[in-house]
Each structure stands twice: as C-alpha cells, then as structure tokens.
Amino acid sequence: MTMTQPTILIADDEDVITFMLASKLSNIGAKVIVARNGEEAFALALEHKPLVVLTDYEMPRMTGLEFAKKLHATPEFATVPVVMLTARGHRVPPGEMSKTNIQNLVSKPFSARELASLMQEHLQSELARRESSRAA
C-alpha cells in the first residue's frame, strides 16, 4: 500500500451492512468512509477522494446507479472502480452500465468475505494503475 491509507467509500442505507463491510474492509488496511444515501456519498467522494466505491443500488435521495453515473461524469472520478450491490436478479441495462464505471454487480445476500476480497483486488489494481501512470 502507499504511505497514506487508501480510501474506500461505502454507500448504503442499511446500517447492518455498512457496519459489517466497514469492519471487513478496515481489516484489509483501507480507510473506510460510509454514506447513507447517494447525495451524501457524492459529497464524501469529493471530500475524501476514494480509490474504490461500493454502493447499494436502492438508496434514498439518489440511487446507486445515479451516483455511479455522477461519479463517472466527474473527471477526477471517471475511472474509479465501482462495485454495486443489487437485489437478487436485478440487472442494470447495458446502456446504463456504459455511463458508469461499475465493475461488478453483487447480488444480495452476499458473502462478506468474498466481497472484501473483491474490493481488495480492485484497490490493489487501482493503486497499481495510479502508480504506473505516475511513473509514465
């Protein structure tokens, strides 16, 4: 990891999920920021500059899809990997996916261990990508 702790943003309105995931993701060495809705998530993204984002699809004030689109449309976040939690069987239309940087759709219920591992992979990839772009 880099000298500063990499940041992961979790956006979900279910406290049980955010508590569990924040705990798991803190264990992989990340600083975890939690938002309860899409509007708060975007504001926190601007403030904390996360390397990876985990968002629920269904949230108040701004859905996870709207949040992912807004991130993608903002130059400094256009390439930030997004993992989206969805209800079982929920699909995001391909035309909508192309307006985001959603890398994975994870159906609820999910394995917290597997999700933490997936987030760690994205975090390591993003750190490596940023390091190589700095070296170039």
Side-chain angles (χ1 to χ4, degrees):
M1 302 276 168
T2 60
M3 289 173 57
T4 60
Q5 216 178 2
T7 301
I8 293 175
L9 172 62
I10 298 174
D12 197 310
D13 59 331
E14 294 183 47
D15 292 340
V16 172
I17 289 176
T18 57
F19 179 80
M20 174 192 54
L21 291 175
S23 173
K24 288 272 185 204
L25 295 172
S26 293
N27 290 338
I28 66 169
K31 175 181 175 186
V32 179
I33 307 297
V34 175
R36 302 214 181 315
N37 63 62
E39 285 179 4
E40 181 184 12
F42 190 74
L44 288 173
L46 291 173
E47 181 181 347
H48 295 280
K49 313 289 189 250
L51 292 185
V52 182
V53 172
L54 174 65
T55 184
D56 188 22
Y57 181 86
E58 286 295 325
M59 291 187 296
R61 297 200 195 134
M62 182 190 302
T63 68
L65 184 58
E66 292 166 336
F67 169 53
K69 286 180 185 178
K70 194 168 182 176
L71 277 179
H72 188 67
T74 304
E76 68 184 301
F77 300 114
T79 61
V80 169
V82 176
V83 174
M84 181 173 284
L85 299 175
T86 65
R88 183 178 296 281
H90 183 85
R91 296 284 174 254
V92 177
E96 295 297 300
M97 287 287 281
S98 68
K99 299 173 189 170
T100 73
N101 204 29
I102 296 171
Q103 304 295 307
N104 305 91
L105 292 172
V106 177
S107 293
K108 294 178 182 178
F110 56 85
S111 160
R113 180 180 297 139
E114 289 174 15
L115 184 57
S117 178
L118 177 65
M119 295 299 289
Q120 186 171 19
E121 288 172 26
H122 282 300
L123 193 59
Q124 289 170 340
S125 285
E126 189 61 12
L127 286 168
R129 187 189 68 76
R130 290 180 184 212
E131 194 60 40
S132 69
S133 68
R134 264 192 292 259

